[in-house]
Amino acid sequence: MQIHEEHIIPALDDFAERAADFLVERIRRAVRDGRPCSVILAGGTTPRPVYAGLSRRLGALPAGLGTLSFFIGDERVVAPESPERNERMIREAFGAFFDETHKRLYPWEPPPLSAPAAAARYERTLAGYFQGPRAKPDLAVLGLGADGHTASLFPNAVVLRRTKETEPVGPTLPGRAVAVFRPDEKAWRLSLTARFLSQSREVVFLIGGRNKGAAYRSLKTGDQSLPAAWIAGPTITVFALGEALAD
């Protein structure tokens, strides 16, 4: 992975405002000519204030811009009302921003659909959207875990293929959406693949929380044991809270 731009920011409020400013400018560029724009959103807690600021800024843009389509980079296999569900966090952070025409959110299917079935359904959704002139995501927002994971691509996890066989999570997984099993949690997750995320025209990492310093230093050296290092977009920008990178 090659990081093209790095912003280490001490204060949470400043982190959220600067990241939201950056994201809205990238989206503004994409829709300037009236074309559709696609954005992949990270889950977790770090992006919440960024998304709230992004929603306000996007709401202030003039009418008549291109359609905005938002996808979710990963999801937990929990009920829609669960506080652990990324879709719920995103909807709460964006408020009344989404509609079904010009500003649409495409969520993963929740239970009772199984994780492999939900991944297959999201794969079909993505295949239907990302084709022709909009074959690549315009922007992907990702996070970084202390273990080096991004989206729900975890070290030592496996994916279940349509053949019912499993294979390790890795940088060359085919397709766009997969069901990921974490043996340490004995739980399923849903995730976009590193290959698909790397097709994004621009990638932005939002790094918050605690104890991310070791993982981030390894990421910058290109340590391929970290799933986050498998992301290889043409332009990668990092916004990180200073406290997150402290050991």
Side-chain angles (χ1 to χ4, degrees):
M1 173 191 287
Q2 181 180 358
I3 295 172
H4 299 83
E5 197 172 328
E6 181 184 64
H7 305 271
I8 311 300
I9 304 167
L12 177 59
D13 289 348
D14 192 29
F15 167 84
E17 292 297 305
R18 288 175 60 182
D21 283 341
F22 184 92
L23 294 176
V24 76
E25 179 55 32
R26 293 314 189 266
I27 293 171
R28 189 200 306 268
R29 291 182 188 178
V31 300
R32 186 171 293 157
D33 298 325
R35 70 176 183 83
C37 174
S38 56
V39 181
I40 296 169
L41 297 174
T45 57
T46 298
R48 180 187 286 269
V50 178
Y51 293 164
L54 177 60
S55 177
R56 293 192 301 272
R57 288 161 172 78
L58 290 174
L61 293 181
L65 296 176
T67 299
L68 300 178
S69 296
F70 295 82
F71 299 84
I72 304 177
D74 71 311
E75 189 58 274
R76 291 173 171 82
V77 185
V78 293
E81 64 273 13
S82 170
E84 294 185 344
R85 190 167 174 86
N86 289 332
E87 179 192 354
R88 176 175 170 174
M89 181 279 290
I90 289 167
R91 291 191 184 278
E92 289 176 350
F94 274 87
F97 176 79
F98 296 115
D99 58 37
E100 292 302 315
T101 53
H102 301 295
K103 297 173 290 187
R104 185 172 181 184
L105 178 66
Y106 292 81
W108 300 78
E109 287 286 332
L113 200 66
S114 70
R121 188 167 295 184
Y122 212 56
E123 176 76 31
R124 291 193 294 272
T125 297
L126 296 168
Y129 183 93
F130 291 101
Q131 55 182 302
R134 59 184 192 189
K136 298 180 179 181
D138 290 289
L139 180 64
V141 181
L142 298 173
L144 176 68
D147 60 356
H149 83 267
T150 194
S152 277
L153 303 173
F154 288 89
N156 305 314
V158 298
V159 300
L160 182 66
R161 310 306 306 176
R162 293 180 182 176
T163 59
K164 306 299 184 182
E165 297 178 344
T166 61
E167 64 179 288
V169 168
T172 60
L173 284 174
R176 301 174 178 88
V178 289
V180 178
F181 184 74
R182 293 190 64 187
D184 56 332
E185 286 189 347
K186 294 182 172 57
W188 287 97
R189 298 283 190 101
L190 300 163
S191 185
L192 301 184
T193 62
R195 175 180 287 182
F196 178 59
L197 291 168
S198 295
Q199 293 176 9
S200 303
R201 292 184 172 89
E202 187 152 6
V203 174
V204 178
F205 277 88
L206 303 178
I207 304 175
R210 300 279 184 178
N211 304 318
K212 308 290 179 67
Y216 186 58
R217 288 191 295 273
S218 295
L219 178 65
K220 293 177 72 173
T221 68
D223 182 351
Q224 290 296 299
S225 69
L226 304 183
W230 304 337
I231 307 303
T235 303
I236 297 177
T237 301
V238 171
F239 285 86
L241 273 170
E243 66 180 20
L245 303 185
D247 292 325

